[in-house]
Amino acid sequence: MQNQKLGNYSKEDDAEEFASWIEKQNDLIKSRLESLSDEDRKDVYFEHRRYQTKGSGDRYSKSYIMAGGKNIADDLVGQESPNYYSVLDIDPEYVIMKDPEFIFIHAATQLNASDHGFETNDPSVMAAMRDELIARPELANVTAVEEGNVYVLDESILGGAGQTLIGSLYMAKLMHPELFEDIDPQAILQEYIDQFCYIDFNVKEQGVFIYPPIQSE
């Protein structure tokens, strides 16, 4: 099938409905995490490309920060740095020192479009990407690797507007399952597609948006 881009609307009336949907998901995440202390936020390494990450002002970083995570690169770049809003190299030794509890890998910057998201039902390429990171000997003792908290995410649940919120829900469910026990991010992704994308697509049977997948309740 042709590549589908979420959030591409054909009816003017959708704008108000979409804005209301965005506000609903945004309020859901904020309400669940409003009492979360800084100590309870999970340390995150977001791998944009191999040993490259993003500053906390970047939209991809905001997706997991909103979900109750902390960027391990905050000690490297502050708001005054241009890298705060973009990509920066990160030394493996620094990752080891910061010992992230979760590692999220950006599929779109490292894989062909046909190997993830709407374009395939085969998770093998995303699985191999995860396996490559887990197999790096220098990361063997990092908490995220030891505990299996390494996930590859597709652009369709990261990239702007509703996608960023959906990605945040997936990551919040992973990082704070006790606060999102009743939330099914896959069902919310399906709702988004059904209401706003005008395509016939069943996310339980089609597509690969996160690997390993979150099991539905």
Side-chain angles (χ1 to χ4, degrees):
M1 65 181 288
Q2 291 184 342
N3 186 36
Q4 304 288 348
K5 183 175 175 61
L6 297 183
N8 205 5
Y9 313 111
S10 61
K11 297 180 181 178
E12 219 171 276
D13 291 344
D14 281 344
E16 186 174 338
E17 182 184 356
F18 181 59
S20 176
W21 188 91
I22 289 285
E23 183 178 7
K24 176 184 174 183
Q25 308 310 325
N26 190 48
D27 289 347
L28 168 63
I29 297 169
K30 286 185 175 180
S31 66
R32 297 295 176 97
L33 296 173
E34 62 183 356
S35 61
L36 191 72
S37 67
D38 190 62
E39 291 75 22
D40 288 331
R41 286 182 168 271
K42 305 299 183 181
D43 291 323
V44 173
Y45 168 44
F46 181 85
E47 184 157 274
H48 178 65
R49 290 188 174 88
R50 185 180 176 92
Y51 292 123
Q52 286 188 335
T53 192
K54 294 270 193 162
S56 288
D58 183 86
R59 63 190 174 109
Y60 295 115
S61 300
K62 289 178 180 178
S63 66
Y64 66 78
I65 293 169
M66 182 180 186
K70 286 190 293 186
N71 187 351
I72 66 167
D74 280 346
D75 291 338
L76 297 176
V77 287
Q79 294 187 30
E80 72 286 349
S81 169
N83 291 119
Y84 185 76
Y85 301 96
S86 62
V87 66
L88 63 141
D89 294 331
I90 192 164
D91 194 292
E93 290 297 325
Y94 181 82
V95 177
I96 295 165
M97 178 188 71
K98 299 301 288 187
D99 193 25
E101 297 160 277
F102 283 82
I103 296 175
F104 297 120
I105 309 171
H106 191 192
T109 54
Q110 304 180 61
L111 300 178
N112 293 326
S114 59
D115 292 331
H116 54 94
F118 286 96
E119 297 297 314
T120 185
N121 301 329
D122 180 4
S124 61
V125 177
M126 288 176 73
M129 187 180 201
R130 177 179 187 263
D131 290 345
E132 185 279 325
L133 186 143
I134 289 174
R136 296 177 196 172
E138 66 274 19
L139 300 182
N141 296 319
V142 168
T143 297
V145 172
E146 288 187 324
E147 297 184 357
N149 290 326
V150 178
Y151 293 87
V152 184
L153 286 82
D154 175 60
E155 179 74 9
S156 301
I157 59 169
L158 283 178
Q163 298 103 299
T164 297
L165 286 169
I166 293 168
S168 291
L169 283 166
Y170 271 96
M171 289 183 278
K173 177 86 171 182
L174 291 168
M175 292 189 288
H176 303 286
E178 73 286 354
L179 300 177
F180 291 84
E181 185 177 2
D182 60 326
I183 302 301
D184 183 354
Q186 186 182 62
I188 294 173
L189 173 59
Q190 185 66 62
E191 176 184 291
Y192 186 39
I193 292 171
D194 291 344
Q195 290 187 25
F196 304 113
C197 299
Y198 306 107
I199 58 174
D200 182 12
F201 199 93
N202 185 342
V203 297
K204 289 186 176 180
E205 300 175 358
Q206 300 168 278
V208 184
F209 301 99
I210 184 170
Y211 188 87
I214 298 179
Q215 297 302 318
S216 300
E217 303 294 336

